[in-house]
Amino acid sequence: DICNIPEVDHNLVQSLGQHLLPWMDQLSVEHLNPSIYVGLRLSSMEAGTKEVLYLHSLKLDYQQSLLSDDNSDLPTKPSMGQLALYMLALKANWHNHKGYPHSSYYQYSLSILALCVHQKRVHDSVVGKLLYAVEHDHHLLQGHLSVDTEAMAGLAFTCLERSNLNPNLRNRITLAIRIVQEKILKAQTPEGYFGNVYSTPLALQLLMTSPVPGVELGTACFNARAALLTSLQDGAFQNVLMISQLLPVLNHKSYVDLISPDCLAPRVMLEPATVPPSPGQVSEDIYVLLKVPSVWPPYRHTISVPAGSSLEDVLKKAQELGEFMYETEASLSGPYLTSVMGKKAGEREFWQLIQAPDIPLQQGIADYRPQNGETIELRLVVW
Ligand code: B12
Protein backbone atom coordinates (compact mmCIF):
# COMPACT_ATOMS: atom_id res chain seq x y z
CA ASP A 1 0.00 0.00 0.00
CA ILE A 2 1.44 3.38 -0.93
CA CYS A 3 0.94 6.96 0.18
CA ASN A 4 -0.74 8.52 -2.79
CA ILE A 5 -1.92 12.12 -2.87
CA PRO A 6 -4.83 12.47 -5.30
CA GLU A 7 -4.88 15.46 -7.63
CA VAL A 8 -5.58 18.82 -5.97
CA ASP A 9 -7.64 21.54 -7.63
CA HIS A 10 -5.38 23.38 -10.03
CA ASN A 11 -6.62 26.85 -9.06
CA LEU A 12 -5.82 26.23 -5.43
CA VAL A 13 -2.28 25.13 -6.24
CA GLN A 14 -1.84 28.07 -8.56
CA SER A 15 -2.93 30.59 -5.95
CA LEU A 16 -0.24 29.18 -3.64
CA GLY A 17 2.31 29.67 -6.39
CA GLN A 18 1.10 33.21 -6.95
CA HIS A 19 1.62 33.89 -3.27
CA LEU A 20 5.33 33.22 -3.82
CA LEU A 21 5.66 35.45 -6.90
CA PRO A 22 6.09 38.83 -5.18
CA TRP A 23 8.76 37.24 -2.98
CA MET A 24 10.73 36.30 -6.07
CA ASP A 25 11.23 40.04 -6.64
CA GLN A 26 12.72 40.58 -3.18
CA LEU A 27 16.39 40.07 -3.79
CA SER A 28 17.82 41.75 -0.71
CA VAL A 29 19.86 39.75 1.77
CA GLU A 30 17.13 39.69 4.44
CA HIS A 31 14.56 38.39 2.01
CA LEU A 32 16.47 35.81 -0.02
CA ASN A 33 15.15 32.38 0.94
CA PRO A 34 16.53 29.22 -0.69
CA SER A 35 13.49 27.22 0.47
CA ILE A 36 11.22 29.26 -1.81
CA TYR A 37 13.35 28.36 -4.80
CA VAL A 38 13.38 24.64 -3.95
CA GLY A 39 9.62 24.54 -3.37
CA LEU A 40 8.87 26.22 -6.67
CA ARG A 41 11.29 24.04 -8.64
CA LEU A 42 9.61 20.93 -7.22
CA SER A 43 6.14 22.27 -8.02
CA SER A 44 4.12 22.10 -11.21
CA MET A 45 4.63 25.83 -11.81
CA GLU A 46 7.45 28.08 -12.90
CA ALA A 47 8.28 31.76 -12.64
CA GLY A 48 10.37 32.05 -15.80
CA THR A 49 13.24 34.52 -15.73
CA LYS A 50 12.42 35.48 -12.14
CA GLU A 51 13.71 32.03 -11.14
CA VAL A 52 16.99 32.57 -12.96
CA LEU A 53 17.51 35.93 -11.33
CA TYR A 54 16.56 34.55 -7.94
CA LEU A 55 19.09 31.73 -8.07
CA HIS A 56 21.70 34.16 -9.28
CA SER A 57 21.06 36.41 -6.29
CA LEU A 58 21.14 33.42 -3.92
CA LYS A 59 24.53 32.41 -5.31
CA LEU A 60 25.94 35.91 -5.02
CA ASP A 61 24.68 36.35 -1.51
CA TYR A 62 25.76 32.97 -0.19
CA GLN A 63 29.15 33.07 -1.85
CA GLN A 64 29.78 36.50 -0.44
CA SER A 65 28.79 35.57 3.07
CA LEU A 66 30.89 32.39 2.94
CA LEU A 67 33.92 34.37 1.95
CA SER A 68 33.43 37.01 4.59
CA ASP A 69 35.37 36.79 7.81
CA ASP A 70 33.58 37.37 11.05
CA ASN A 71 34.55 40.97 11.65
CA SER A 72 33.80 42.32 8.21
CA ASP A 73 30.62 44.24 7.49
CA LEU A 74 29.48 41.69 4.92
CA PRO A 75 26.35 39.68 5.72
CA THR A 76 26.72 37.26 8.63
CA LYS A 77 27.43 33.63 7.84
CA PRO A 78 24.37 31.49 7.09
CA SER A 79 23.52 28.74 9.61
CA MET A 80 24.21 25.09 8.82
CA GLY A 81 20.55 24.64 7.87
CA GLN A 82 20.45 27.70 5.61
CA LEU A 83 23.54 26.41 3.83
CA ALA A 84 21.85 23.04 3.47
CA LEU A 85 18.77 24.65 1.89
CA TYR A 86 21.07 26.60 -0.40
CA MET A 87 22.64 23.33 -1.52
CA LEU A 88 19.17 21.89 -2.21
CA ALA A 89 18.47 25.01 -4.28
CA LEU A 90 21.65 24.51 -6.30
CA LYS A 91 20.56 20.96 -7.07
CA ALA A 92 17.03 22.09 -7.96
CA ASN A 93 18.55 24.16 -10.75
CA TRP A 94 18.72 21.50 -13.43
CA HIS A 95 18.92 22.52 -17.06
CA ASN A 96 15.76 21.75 -18.93
CA HIS A 97 17.41 21.42 -22.29
CA LYS A 98 19.75 18.65 -21.19
CA GLY A 99 16.74 16.38 -21.20
CA TYR A 100 17.94 13.92 -18.57
CA PRO A 101 16.92 13.98 -16.35
CA HIS A 102 25.65 22.30 15.87
CA SER A 103 22.60 22.86 15.71
CA SER A 104 19.25 21.11 15.91
CA TYR A 105 18.58 17.58 14.65
CA TYR A 106 16.35 19.28 12.08
CA GLN A 107 19.26 21.25 10.65
CA TYR A 108 21.62 18.28 11.07
CA SER A 109 19.24 16.14 9.01
CA LEU A 110 18.73 18.87 6.44
CA SER A 111 22.49 19.06 6.02
CA ILE A 112 22.91 15.30 5.52
CA LEU A 113 20.05 15.43 3.02
CA ALA A 114 21.62 18.31 1.10
CA LEU A 115 25.01 16.58 0.86
CA CYS A 116 23.30 13.34 -0.12
CA VAL A 117 21.32 14.78 -3.04
CA HIS A 118 24.66 16.11 -4.29
CA GLN A 119 25.96 12.54 -3.92
CA LYS A 120 28.57 13.68 -1.41
CA ARG A 121 29.54 10.89 0.94
CA VAL A 122 29.72 11.80 4.62
CA HIS A 123 31.56 9.69 7.18
CA ASP A 124 29.63 6.82 8.79
CA SER A 125 30.06 8.53 12.15
CA VAL A 126 28.14 11.59 10.96
CA VAL A 127 25.19 9.46 9.87
CA GLY A 128 25.69 7.29 12.94
CA LYS A 129 24.97 10.21 15.24
CA LEU A 130 21.54 10.74 13.69
CA LEU A 131 20.85 6.99 13.62
CA TYR A 132 21.69 6.79 17.30
CA ALA A 133 19.28 9.62 18.13
CA VAL A 134 16.44 7.90 16.27
CA GLU A 135 17.22 4.42 17.62
CA HIS A 136 17.38 5.64 21.20
CA ASP A 137 14.28 7.73 20.85
CA HIS A 138 16.07 10.91 21.81
CA HIS A 139 13.52 13.61 21.89
CA LEU A 140 14.42 15.05 18.57
CA LEU A 141 12.56 18.07 19.88
CA GLN A 142 9.87 18.21 22.45
CA GLY A 143 6.21 18.45 21.65
CA HIS A 144 4.70 19.40 18.35
CA LEU A 145 8.00 20.08 16.62
CA SER A 146 9.09 16.46 16.70
CA VAL A 147 7.12 15.48 13.59
CA ASP A 148 8.92 18.10 11.47
CA THR A 149 12.24 16.88 12.82
CA GLU A 150 11.47 13.17 12.42
CA ALA A 151 10.28 13.80 8.87
CA MET A 152 13.47 15.65 7.97
CA ALA A 153 15.56 12.82 9.46
CA GLY A 154 13.49 10.31 7.49
CA LEU A 155 14.06 12.23 4.24
CA ALA A 156 17.80 12.26 4.87
CA PHE A 157 17.83 8.50 5.57
CA THR A 158 15.71 7.79 2.50
CA CYS A 159 18.20 9.65 0.31
CA LEU A 160 21.09 7.73 1.87
CA GLU A 161 19.29 4.42 1.39
CA ARG A 162 18.57 5.15 -2.28
CA SER A 163 22.07 6.38 -3.03
CA ASN A 164 23.75 3.67 -0.96
CA LEU A 165 26.39 6.15 0.15
CA ASN A 166 26.98 4.44 3.50
CA PRO A 167 26.70 0.71 2.67
CA ASN A 168 27.97 -0.37 6.11
CA LEU A 169 24.98 1.29 7.73
CA ARG A 170 22.43 -0.01 5.26
CA ASN A 171 20.39 -2.14 7.68
CA ARG A 172 20.31 0.48 10.41
CA ILE A 173 19.24 3.13 7.88
CA THR A 174 16.38 0.98 6.60
CA LEU A 175 15.23 0.32 10.14
CA ALA A 176 15.49 4.00 11.10
CA ILE A 177 13.26 4.97 8.16
CA ARG A 178 10.67 2.53 9.45
CA ILE A 179 10.93 3.89 13.00
CA VAL A 180 10.30 7.50 11.95
CA GLN A 181 7.52 6.52 9.56
CA GLU A 182 5.74 4.68 12.34
CA LYS A 183 6.20 7.54 14.79
CA ILE A 184 4.76 9.99 12.29
CA LEU A 185 1.80 7.73 11.57
CA LYS A 186 1.14 7.47 15.32
CA ALA A 187 1.15 11.27 15.53
CA GLN A 188 -1.85 11.55 13.19
CA THR A 189 -4.63 13.60 14.79
CA PRO A 190 -8.35 12.82 14.51
CA GLU A 191 -8.62 15.59 11.86
CA GLY A 192 -5.93 13.86 9.82
CA TYR A 193 -2.84 16.01 10.41
CA PHE A 194 0.52 14.44 11.16
CA GLY A 195 1.53 16.46 14.22
CA ASN A 196 -0.08 19.76 13.33
CA VAL A 197 -1.17 21.36 10.07
CA TYR A 198 2.30 22.82 9.42
CA SER A 199 4.26 19.60 9.98
CA THR A 200 1.95 17.66 7.66
CA PRO A 201 3.67 18.74 4.40
CA LEU A 202 7.10 17.41 5.46
CA ALA A 203 5.48 14.31 6.96
CA LEU A 204 3.76 13.62 3.63
CA GLN A 205 6.98 14.24 1.72
CA LEU A 206 8.48 11.41 3.74
CA LEU A 207 5.50 9.02 3.66
CA MET A 208 5.21 9.44 -0.12
CA THR A 209 8.77 8.24 -0.69
CA SER A 210 8.41 4.64 0.42
CA PRO A 211 5.81 2.09 1.54
CA VAL A 212 5.63 1.10 5.21
CA PRO A 213 5.52 -2.68 5.56
CA GLY A 214 2.22 -3.89 6.95
CA VAL A 215 0.66 -0.44 7.18
CA GLU A 216 -2.36 0.95 5.36
CA LEU A 217 -0.74 4.18 4.18
CA GLY A 218 -3.45 4.97 1.64
CA THR A 219 -6.14 5.94 4.14
CA ALA A 220 -3.75 7.84 6.41
CA CYS A 221 -2.48 9.97 3.53
CA PHE A 222 -5.93 10.43 2.07
CA ASN A 223 -7.12 11.82 5.41
CA ALA A 224 -4.07 14.04 5.72
CA ARG A 225 -4.68 15.44 2.26
CA ALA A 226 -8.33 16.14 3.09
CA ALA A 227 -7.33 17.93 6.30
CA LEU A 228 -4.71 19.97 4.43
CA LEU A 229 -7.22 21.00 1.77
CA THR A 230 -9.64 22.23 4.42
CA SER A 231 -6.97 24.37 6.05
CA LEU A 232 -5.78 25.58 2.65
CA GLN A 233 -9.28 26.81 1.92
CA ASP A 234 -9.41 28.44 5.34
CA GLY A 235 -6.29 30.41 4.38
CA ALA A 236 -3.93 28.68 6.81
CA PHE A 237 -1.05 28.76 4.33
CA GLN A 238 0.06 32.40 4.26
CA ASN A 239 3.67 31.82 5.23
CA VAL A 240 5.98 31.43 2.22
CA LEU A 241 8.23 28.90 3.93
CA MET A 242 5.21 26.74 4.70
CA ILE A 243 4.02 27.06 1.09
CA SER A 244 7.50 26.06 -0.08
CA GLN A 245 7.31 22.82 1.94
CA LEU A 246 3.78 22.09 0.72
CA LEU A 247 4.10 22.70 -3.03
CA PRO A 248 6.29 19.64 -3.72
CA VAL A 249 3.70 17.40 -1.98
CA LEU A 250 0.88 18.76 -4.15
CA ASN A 251 3.08 17.87 -7.13
CA HIS A 252 3.80 14.35 -5.77
CA LYS A 253 7.43 15.24 -5.13
CA SER A 254 9.76 15.25 -2.14
CA TYR A 255 13.24 16.62 -1.46
CA VAL A 256 14.56 13.12 -2.13
CA ASP A 257 13.56 13.57 -5.79
CA LEU A 258 16.39 16.09 -6.04
CA ILE A 259 18.79 13.12 -6.37
CA SER A 260 17.75 13.04 -10.00
CA PRO A 261 15.25 15.77 -10.71
CA ASP A 262 12.73 15.13 -13.43
CA CYS A 263 13.80 17.82 -15.86
CA LEU A 264 11.29 17.00 -18.55
CA ALA A 265 8.20 17.43 -16.40
CA PRO A 266 6.25 20.37 -17.78
CA ARG A 267 5.64 23.32 -15.49
CA VAL A 268 3.00 25.99 -16.02
CA MET A 269 4.07 29.65 -16.20
CA LEU A 270 2.77 31.60 -13.19
CA GLU A 271 0.97 34.88 -13.82
CA PRO A 272 0.66 37.43 -10.99
CA ALA A 273 -2.64 37.19 -9.14
CA THR A 274 -5.11 39.96 -9.76
CA VAL A 275 -5.62 41.70 -6.45
CA PRO A 276 -9.30 42.42 -5.79
CA PRO A 277 -9.80 46.15 -5.07
CA SER A 278 -9.94 46.68 -1.32
CA PRO A 279 -13.42 47.56 -0.09
CA GLY A 280 -11.97 50.78 1.29
CA GLN A 281 -14.18 50.71 4.32
CA VAL A 282 -12.73 51.70 7.66
CA SER A 283 -12.32 48.57 9.68
CA GLU A 284 -13.33 48.43 13.29
CA ASP A 285 -10.87 48.23 16.11
CA ILE A 286 -10.39 45.08 18.12
CA TYR A 287 -8.99 44.71 21.62
CA VAL A 288 -6.21 42.29 22.50
CA LEU A 289 -4.91 41.77 26.03
CA LEU A 290 -1.14 41.42 25.87
CA LYS A 291 0.69 40.05 28.88
CA VAL A 292 4.20 39.16 29.90
CA PRO A 293 3.99 37.68 33.39
CA SER A 294 7.61 36.54 33.63
CA VAL A 295 9.13 40.02 33.97
CA TRP A 296 9.08 42.40 36.90
CA PRO A 297 6.87 44.35 37.07
CA PRO A 298 4.62 42.04 35.02
CA TYR A 299 3.33 43.66 31.83
CA ARG A 300 -0.39 43.55 31.14
CA HIS A 301 -2.20 45.94 28.80
CA THR A 302 -5.15 45.98 26.47
CA ILE A 303 -4.07 47.10 23.01
CA SER A 304 -6.48 48.24 20.31
CA VAL A 305 -5.65 47.63 16.67
CA PRO A 306 -7.70 47.56 13.45
CA ALA A 307 -9.49 44.24 12.88
CA GLY A 308 -7.35 41.87 10.83
CA SER A 309 -4.06 43.11 12.31
CA SER A 310 -1.27 40.66 12.97
CA LEU A 311 0.21 39.93 16.36
CA GLU A 312 3.25 41.88 15.15
CA ASP A 313 0.97 44.93 14.67
CA VAL A 314 -0.20 44.48 18.26
CA LEU A 315 3.40 44.37 19.53
CA LYS A 316 4.30 47.45 17.47
CA LYS A 317 1.33 49.37 18.83
CA ALA A 318 2.16 48.32 22.39
CA GLN A 319 5.73 49.52 21.90
CA GLU A 320 4.52 52.87 20.54
CA LEU A 321 2.32 53.31 23.59
CA GLY A 322 5.38 52.85 25.80
CA GLU A 323 6.24 50.39 28.59
CA PHE A 324 6.47 47.50 26.12
CA MET A 325 9.63 46.58 24.20
CA TYR A 326 10.47 43.80 21.81
CA GLU A 327 13.04 42.80 19.18
CA THR A 328 12.94 40.42 16.26
CA GLU A 329 15.39 38.73 13.93
CA ALA A 330 14.68 37.89 10.32
CA SER A 331 14.47 34.14 9.61
CA LEU A 332 13.32 32.05 6.66
CA SER A 333 9.97 31.67 8.40
CA GLY A 334 9.60 35.42 8.95
CA PRO A 335 10.34 37.71 11.92
CA TYR A 336 11.37 35.65 14.96
CA LEU A 337 10.74 37.18 18.37
CA THR A 338 14.10 37.25 20.15
CA SER A 339 13.67 39.69 23.00
CA VAL A 340 10.79 40.99 25.12
CA MET A 341 10.99 43.83 27.66
CA GLY A 342 14.73 43.90 27.14
CA LYS A 343 15.06 40.21 28.07
CA LYS A 344 16.80 38.24 25.31
CA ALA A 345 16.07 34.53 25.02
CA GLY A 346 19.18 32.56 25.95
CA GLU A 347 20.91 29.58 24.38
CA ARG A 348 18.18 26.92 24.80
CA GLU A 349 15.33 29.33 25.47
CA PHE A 350 12.70 30.97 23.31
CA TRP A 351 9.85 33.43 23.67
CA GLN A 352 6.81 31.23 23.21
CA LEU A 353 3.61 32.73 21.79
CA ILE A 354 0.59 31.58 23.76
CA GLN A 355 -3.12 32.12 23.42
CA ALA A 356 -4.36 32.26 27.00
CA PRO A 357 -4.70 30.21 29.00
CA ASP A 358 -2.31 27.71 27.50
CA ILE A 359 -2.50 27.15 23.76
CA PRO A 360 0.80 27.63 21.92
CA LEU A 361 0.21 29.49 18.66
CA GLN A 362 0.94 27.58 15.48
CA GLN A 363 2.01 30.70 13.62
CA GLY A 364 4.58 33.43 14.11
CA ILE A 365 3.98 37.06 15.03
CA ALA A 366 3.72 38.22 11.40
CA ASP A 367 1.13 35.60 10.37
CA TYR A 368 -1.04 35.21 13.44
CA ARG A 369 -4.10 37.46 13.51
CA PRO A 370 -5.75 37.67 16.94
CA GLN A 371 -9.51 37.94 17.37
CA ASN A 372 -11.28 40.61 19.35
CA GLY A 373 -11.08 39.98 23.09
CA GLU A 374 -8.23 37.51 22.86
CA THR A 375 -5.45 37.31 25.44
CA ILE A 376 -1.92 36.71 24.18
CA GLU A 377 0.87 35.78 26.54
CA LEU A 378 4.57 35.91 25.75
CA ARG A 379 6.36 33.30 27.84
CA LEU A 380 10.08 32.66 28.12
CA VAL A 381 10.50 28.86 28.02
CA VAL A 382 13.28 26.30 27.68
CA TRP A 383 13.20 23.98 24.70
CO1 B12 B 1 9.37 26.60 15.41
N1 B12 B 1 7.97 26.53 14.13
N2 B12 B 1 8.33 27.83 16.51
N3 B12 B 1 10.84 26.48 16.66
N4 B12 B 1 10.21 25.32 14.32
C1 B12 B 1 8.27 25.82 12.86
C2 B12 B 1 8.87 26.77 11.85
C3 B12 B 1 6.87 25.26 12.45
C4 B12 B 1 6.70 24.97 10.97
C5 B12 B 1 6.55 23.99 13.29
C6 B12 B 1 5.14 23.47 13.16
O1 B12 B 1 4.21 24.01 13.75
N5 B12 B 1 4.92 22.39 12.44
C7 B12 B 1 5.94 26.43 13.01
C8 B12 B 1 5.64 27.60 12.04
C9 B12 B 1 4.32 27.44 11.31
C10 B12 B 1 3.99 28.65 10.45
O2 B12 B 1 4.82 29.42 10.04
N6 B12 B 1 2.73 28.82 10.16
C11 B12 B 1 6.75 26.88 14.21
C12 B12 B 1 6.21 27.68 15.28
C13 B12 B 1 4.73 27.94 15.23
C14 B12 B 1 7.03 28.18 16.31
C15 B12 B 1 6.59 29.17 17.43
C16 B12 B 1 5.84 30.39 16.88
C17 B12 B 1 5.77 28.40 18.47
C18 B12 B 1 5.18 29.27 19.57
O3 B12 B 1 5.82 30.04 20.21
N7 B12 B 1 3.88 29.12 19.82
C19 B12 B 1 7.97 29.55 18.06
C20 B12 B 1 8.58 30.90 17.61
C21 B12 B 1 8.16 32.06 18.53
C22 B12 B 1 9.01 33.29 18.34
O4 B12 B 1 8.93 34.00 17.35
N8 B12 B 1 9.82 33.59 19.34
C23 B12 B 1 8.84 28.44 17.57
C24 B12 B 1 10.02 28.11 18.23
C25 B12 B 1 10.90 27.12 17.82
C26 B12 B 1 12.07 26.62 18.68
C27 B12 B 1 11.60 25.50 19.57
C28 B12 B 1 12.65 27.73 19.53
C29 B12 B 1 13.02 26.03 17.58
C30 B12 B 1 14.08 27.05 17.03
C31 B12 B 1 15.33 27.15 17.85
C32 B12 B 1 16.57 26.59 17.18
O5 B12 B 1 16.55 25.66 16.40
N9 B12 B 1 17.70 27.17 17.48
C33 B12 B 1 12.02 25.75 16.45
C34 B12 B 1 12.31 24.89 15.38
C35 B12 B 1 13.61 24.14 15.40
C36 B12 B 1 11.40 24.71 14.29
C37 B12 B 1 11.56 23.76 13.09
C38 B12 B 1 11.37 22.32 13.60
C39 B12 B 1 12.89 23.86 12.31
C40 B12 B 1 13.35 25.30 11.95
C41 B12 B 1 14.68 25.28 11.21
O6 B12 B 1 15.72 24.99 11.78
N10 B12 B 1 14.67 25.57 9.88
C42 B12 B 1 10.37 24.24 12.16
C43 B12 B 1 9.81 23.10 11.28
C44 B12 B 1 9.59 23.46 9.80
O7 B12 B 1 10.14 24.37 9.23
N11 B12 B 1 8.74 22.66 9.16
C45 B12 B 1 9.36 24.75 13.23
C46 B12 B 1 15.82 25.47 9.00
C47 B12 B 1 16.68 26.77 8.99
C48 B12 B 1 17.74 26.67 7.91
O8 B12 B 1 15.86 27.90 8.67
O9 B12 B 1 14.92 30.21 9.14
O10 B12 B 1 17.35 29.74 9.62
P1 B12 B 1 15.97 29.27 9.56
O11 B12 B 1 15.60 28.63 11.03
C49 B12 B 1 15.29 29.47 12.13
C50 B12 B 1 13.82 29.89 12.15
O12 B12 B 1 13.02 28.83 11.62
C51 B12 B 1 13.53 30.09 13.64
O13 B12 B 1 14.49 29.28 14.35
C52 B12 B 1 15.36 28.62 13.40
C53 B12 B 1 16.75 28.48 13.98
O14 B12 B 1 17.32 29.73 14.20
N12 B12 B 1 12.18 29.63 13.94
C54 B12 B 1 11.05 30.34 13.65
C55 B12 B 1 11.83 28.45 14.46
N13 B12 B 1 10.50 28.35 14.53
C56 B12 B 1 10.00 29.51 14.04
C57 B12 B 1 8.67 29.92 13.90
C58 B12 B 1 8.43 31.17 13.33
C59 B12 B 1 7.00 31.57 13.15
C60 B12 B 1 9.50 32.03 12.95
C61 B12 B 1 9.23 33.38 12.38
C62 B12 B 1 10.83 31.59 13.11
Side-chain angles (χ1 to χ4, degrees):
D1 191 32
I2 53 164
C3 177
N4 198 358
I5 305 290
E7 221 49 64
V8 170
D9 176 42
H10 172 72
N11 290 329
L12 204 59
V13 179
Q14 180 166 313
S15 68
L16 284 173
Q18 285 169 332
H19 209 104
L20 296 184
L21 267 188
W23 288 78
M24 306 285 295
D25 294 323
Q26 312 235 20
L27 301 176
S28 64
V29 183
E30 322 86 79
H31 288 111
L32 281 172
N33 186 337
S35 186
I36 294 184
Y37 184 82
V38 175
L40 194 62
R41 291 295 304 212
L42 287 176
S43 79
S44 55
M45 298 158 296
E46 63 162 302
T49 48
K50 275 188 209 278
E51 283 181 18
V52 182
L53 197 60
Y54 202 76
L55 182 69
H56 183 70
S57 309
L58 273 174
K59 282 185 180 167
L60 277 180
D61 177 45
Y62 275 78
Q63 276 163 16
Q64 225 190 21
S65 51
L66 288 176
L67 290 174
S68 73
D69 43 51
D70 293 329
N71 42 17
S72 79
D73 45 0
L74 287 170
T76 47
K77 284 215 168 39
S79 68
M80 166 163 36
Q82 284 172 343
L83 259 184
L85 279 173
Y86 172 59
M87 287 188 65
L88 289 186
L90 287 181
K91 191 65 203 277
N93 169 43
W94 56 86
H95 295 288
N96 289 321
H97 50 267
K98 274 200 184 149
Y100 54 90
H102 183 182
S103 147
S104 59
Y105 279 117
Y106 182 95
Q107 294 202 16
Y108 195 84
S109 305
L110 187 57
S111 307
I112 293 181
L113 173 68
L115 290 165
C116 174
V117 302
H118 280 266
Q119 306 291 291
K120 297 279 178 273
R121 191 186 304 274
V122 295
H123 197 271
D124 279 357
S125 65
V126 175
V127 180
K129 187 168 162 172
L130 190 59
L131 281 170
Y132 187 89
V134 169
E135 288 160 355
H136 294 80
D137 201 19
H138 277 199
H139 290 287
L140 292 186
L141 253 183
Q142 17 92 294
H144 69 288
L145 295 176
S146 67
V147 168
D148 303 76
T149 307
E150 308 266 1
M152 195 51 89
L155 287 168
F157 289 141
T158 305
C159 178
L160 292 175
E161 186 186 49
R162 291 213 184 150
S163 315
N164 202 20
L165 288 172
N166 299 78
N168 299 334
L169 299 175
R170 201 169 176 82
N171 293 340
R172 283 175 71 195
I173 290 174
T174 307
L175 188 63
I177 297 174
R178 204 169 308 164
I179 295 175
V180 290
Q181 281 173 328
E182 274 162 15
K183 273 203 211 153
I184 290 174
L185 285 168
K186 269 204 205 108
Q188 189 161 33
T189 66
E191 304 88 51
Y193 299 122
F194 296 112
N196 70 17
V197 48
Y198 300 113
S199 44
T200 305
L202 281 184
L204 279 172
Q205 282 203 33
L206 173 66
L207 294 177
M208 277 163 31
T209 55
S210 37
V212 187
V215 175
E216 257 278 352
L217 266 188
T219 328
C221 292
F222 187 84
N223 293 341
R225 170 191 176 270
L228 269 184
L229 282 188
T230 311
S231 39
L232 258 178
Q233 263 136 6
D234 294 345
F237 282 82
Q238 297 297 325
N239 185 287
V240 285
L241 188 97
M242 287 297 107
I243 294 178
S244 78
Q245 296 183 349
L246 175 63
L247 280 179
V249 171
L250 301 181
N251 192 33
H252 313 276
K253 293 267 186 273
S254 82
Y255 291 158
V256 177
D257 291 304
L258 290 170
I259 299 174
S260 42
D262 177 4
C263 308
L264 288 180
R267 292 194 300 151
V268 184
M269 182 62 75
L270 274 172
E271 301 294 340
T274 40
V275 198
S278 69
Q281 74 206 20
V282 222
S283 70
E284 287 169 34
D285 275 357
I286 58 162
Y287 296 88
V288 178
L289 176 63
L290 180 63
K291 55 180 199 177
V292 191
S294 58
V295 293
W296 191 259
Y299 175 89
R300 189 190 167 90
H301 275 282
T302 300
I303 311 292
S304 78
V305 286
S309 298
S310 67
L311 179 53
E312 193 177 17
D313 296 326
V314 175
L315 302 185
K316 266 188 205 144
K317 181 74 182 287
Q319 183 152 278
E320 277 163 28
L321 295 171
E323 286 174 66
F324 183 79
M325 282 192 306
Y326 76 103
E327 278 170 49
T328 61
E329 252 165 40
S331 80
L332 303 186
S333 292
Y336 178 73
L337 187 62
T338 50
S339 163
V340 174
M341 310 299 282
K343 176 110 189 65
K344 253 193 159 19
E347 184 67 8
R348 284 262 146 179
E349 292 176 337
F350 76 108
W351 278 103
Q352 191 178 33
L353 319 177
I354 308 226
Q355 183 194 50
D358 226 359
I359 307 169
L361 298 184
Q362 293 185 7
Q363 291 175 302
I365 56 169
D367 295 327
Y368 185 72
R369 286 165 208 286
Q371 302 286 311
N372 190 22
E374 216 172 289
T375 300
I376 299 286
E377 178 182 331
L378 307 176
R379 192 184 289 172
L380 189 61
V381 298
V382 178
W383 61 276

